[in-house]
Amino acid sequence: MKVQVLIADKFPDLYINQLKEMELDVIYSPKLGENDLPEAAKEVDILVVRSTNVTAATINASKNLNLIIRAGAGVNNINIPAANQKGIYVANCPGMNSIAVAELAIGLMISLDRRIPDNVIDFRNGKWNKGEYSKAEGLMGKTLGIIGVGNIGKEVAKRALAFGMNVYGKDISRIEGVMIKDFSEMDQLLPLCDIITIHLPATSQTKGLFNKEMFSFMKPNSMLINTARADIIDQDAMIEAIKTKNIRVALDVIKNEPENKAADISSPLQELKNVYLTHHIGASTEQAQNAVAAETIRIIKDYIQSGVIAHWVNRAKISDAHYQLVVKHFDKPGVLASIMSIIREKNVNIEEIENIIFEGGVVACCTIKLKTPLTTEMLKQMNENSNVLSVSHVAI
Ligand code: 3PG
């Protein structure tokens, strides 16, 4: 039976055809919403989504689902705890749309400085207002704080440095030979910044990070750009800062973003002249979408051909493994079984295991991660097997 792949969001034709050429049963249903997915994904092996939510209902209703690919960077739309309970792999495509998001962040920065959207609105309303719109300060020499210096933050930094800006980063601070000045404390960083741009993922640590206290550190009249996730900012605290400190804001993400591509929207931010908003289009350039699609295909190909999951995000970062056993052995039937039975006899739990073969196929090396230590007697027993070349056992 063919492996069934459901693509539940918009995906470029070229790459759908590439999947079809791989002899997969490809279902392309870009209009599916989160409530349609439990039924639509019931029988599929691989599910590909962009921003469509993959809920616990979808995961629990699925019979064959083994891999969910987020065709993008953020995985906050996938219920990972539910996937963990069923042993379903979740993978993403990090870095593939970073340049697109960085370009938008820079675009928003210039827009805020020059008030480009207001220029356009006035023109459309039949007004010429050169006097009002000639008050921009310019970006050169301004201090930019990048909150989150991962793939996207680094691309923003490169572009801002080319503009002659003074760039500070909140975490990793090196980009191709250039050192962005590193500040670990927000209370020291934010008061220095004329412009702040957020490039963090949505996690329990980042939720509500920009709260009342953070806004209190920001300079009056400074600018804030968020092309990451709406949840990172406490919207009420932001509105207060806009009103009391004249903070100017440009967002690509908004609280209660509509699920559909076209929908009515209502937000208290619509009342505020200091807020510009784009429609979560950071990653939506043709270049970025093609790069993400190509990476999605690569993940599927690797998975089908070798079982390896590239960019596997729900692999345990910290396991209960505290000891490592490495057994080099002749690649013959029964050798590993004998090692396992020694481990089983003493009721030691294996957390992870990998057996790899040396070229020529004579010798293999098995690495076993264990919860509790093995005894000298057990190691002696393993060594007594004439097909075992060496045994090493260390605490990790
Ligand atoms: C991402 O996490 O990659 C971006 O937010 C893009 O989301 P989208 O694929 O829904 O445009």
Side-chain angles (χ1 to χ4, degrees), residues 50-51 70-76 97 101 227-229 280-284:
R50 282 183 60 171
S51 291
R70 164 64 163 106
V75 287
N76 54 301
N97 53 31
V101 180
T227 52
R229 288 292 182 266
H280 198 156
I281 53 159
S284 297

Side-chain angles (χ1 to χ4, degrees), residues 115-129 133 277 279:
R115 297 175 58 195
I116 294 171
D118 298 323
N119 279 256
V120 175
I121 293 166
D122 274 357
F123 173 66
R124 291 205 174 133
N125 288 327
K127 282 195 219 145
W128 181 254
N129 218 341
Y133 297 126
L277 185 117
H279 301 205

Side-chain angles (χ1 to χ4, degrees), residues 156-187:
V156 172
K158 281 189 215 166
R159 286 155 180 77
L161 288 166
F163 281 13
M165 299 180 82
N166 189 23
V167 181
Y168 290 82
K170 167 66 183 122
D171 34 46
I172 313 153
S173 52
R174 190 174 284 282
I175 51 155
E176 285 166 27
V178 185
M179 196 74 177
I180 310 168
K181 291 155 219 132
D182 183 24
F183 264 91
S184 51
E185 301 305 329
M186 298 286 257
D187 62 341

